[in-house]
Amino acid sequence: MESLEKQFPQFIGTEAEPPRVARYAVNEAMIRNWVEAHDDNNPIYVDVDAARATGRRDVVCPPAMISTWVMSGYRRYREVQQLRKDGAVEDFSYSRLLALLDGAGYTSVVATNVEQEYFAELSPGDQVTAHFTIESISPFKQTGLGHGCFITLFKNYVDAAGKTLVEERFRLLRFNPETQEVPA
């Protein structure tokens, strides 16, 4: 593991992957689906008159919804899984890091936490792009799920003009499921 850990610094601070540009502009239909799925009854998300009564120009997007705009979709997920199965590595640092970990048996992942700081609201018509950086990689440690390391991705979500909307730290555990300690 020590030899793997010695390779971690080359990834820290690098662009994790190319910027993700939202496939769709922020829109009322997706906002409505989100708030209904989360049973969120805040009227400024779905009622333009309620939003305008608070000084807004239009309905606004729930802040926690930010990542949904740049999700790549199920087709891309299947493509990435096939690339991993084939042992192919895409030409960006996050893919190289995951391939390195895969090769050492650290094939499983679980998201552990997300921290977000909001700078601006989104309304229908806004376009979102996310820039990802590998912020940190912890030393290996034994966890309840198995031996692994924590990877923190820093995500900067910007609008079409490049103005920061949200800064996010997304932390995940990459672990070897065969190393889980079973209680006696």
Side-chain angles (χ1 to χ4, degrees):
M1 297 316 100
E2 199 171 300
S3 62
L4 273 178
E5 285 181 7
K6 286 182 179 180
Q7 296 180 61
F8 289 170
Q10 70 180 305
F11 296 102
I12 297 170
T14 63
E15 180 182 65
E17 62 183 46
R20 284 193 194 175
V21 178
R23 297 187 293 170
Y24 308 101
V26 173
N27 63 78
E28 291 181 55
M30 293 300 290
I31 292 170
R32 185 172 294 280
N33 287 339
W34 172 277
V35 299
E36 287 180 6
H38 291 87
D39 199 26
D40 188 333
N41 295 312
N42 188 333
I44 66 169
Y45 299 147
V46 294
D47 181 340
V48 70
D49 292 329
R52 287 183 178 151
T54 65
R56 293 168 170 89
R57 65 178 167 84
D58 202 342
V59 297
V60 294
C61 175
M65 191 179 177
I66 189 69
S67 65
T68 63
W69 301 111
V70 297
M71 288 182 173
S72 52
Y74 190 61
R75 185 172 291 146
R76 172 66 178 149
Y77 171 80
R78 289 191 316 244
E79 177 186 355
V80 169
Q81 295 311 306
Q82 187 62 50
L83 289 168
R84 284 182 67 201
K85 181 179 174 187
D86 296 343
V89 180
E90 294 178 283
D91 190 26
F92 48 84
S93 66
Y94 193 52
S95 182
R96 289 189 293 276
L97 173 61
L98 296 184
L100 180 71
L101 292 169
D102 279 350
Y106 296 88
T107 57
S108 294
V109 64
V110 63
T112 60
N113 68 302
V114 176
E115 303 163 10
Q116 295 179 327
E117 185 175 0
Y118 306 106
F119 297 96
E121 292 180 327
L122 289 167
S123 291
D126 290 340
Q127 192 69 38
V128 179
T129 299
H131 300 272
F132 296 66
T133 304
I134 299 172
E135 184 174 75
S136 65
I137 309 167
S138 77
F140 285 105
K141 53 189 77 183
Q142 186 63 39
T143 73
L145 295 173
H147 194 254
C149 63
F150 292 88
I151 301 167
T152 302
L153 298 174
F154 177 77
K155 301 178 184 184
N156 184 33
Y157 296 89
V158 300
D159 66 12
K163 178 183 168 189
T164 296
L165 302 165
V166 176
E167 290 182 349
E168 174 183 287
R169 284 179 174 77
F170 181 82
R171 195 164 295 108
L172 56 96
L173 170 64
R174 189 70 180 222
F175 64 99
N176 181 335
E178 296 179 16
T179 60
Q180 183 177 20
E181 294 178 357
V182 180

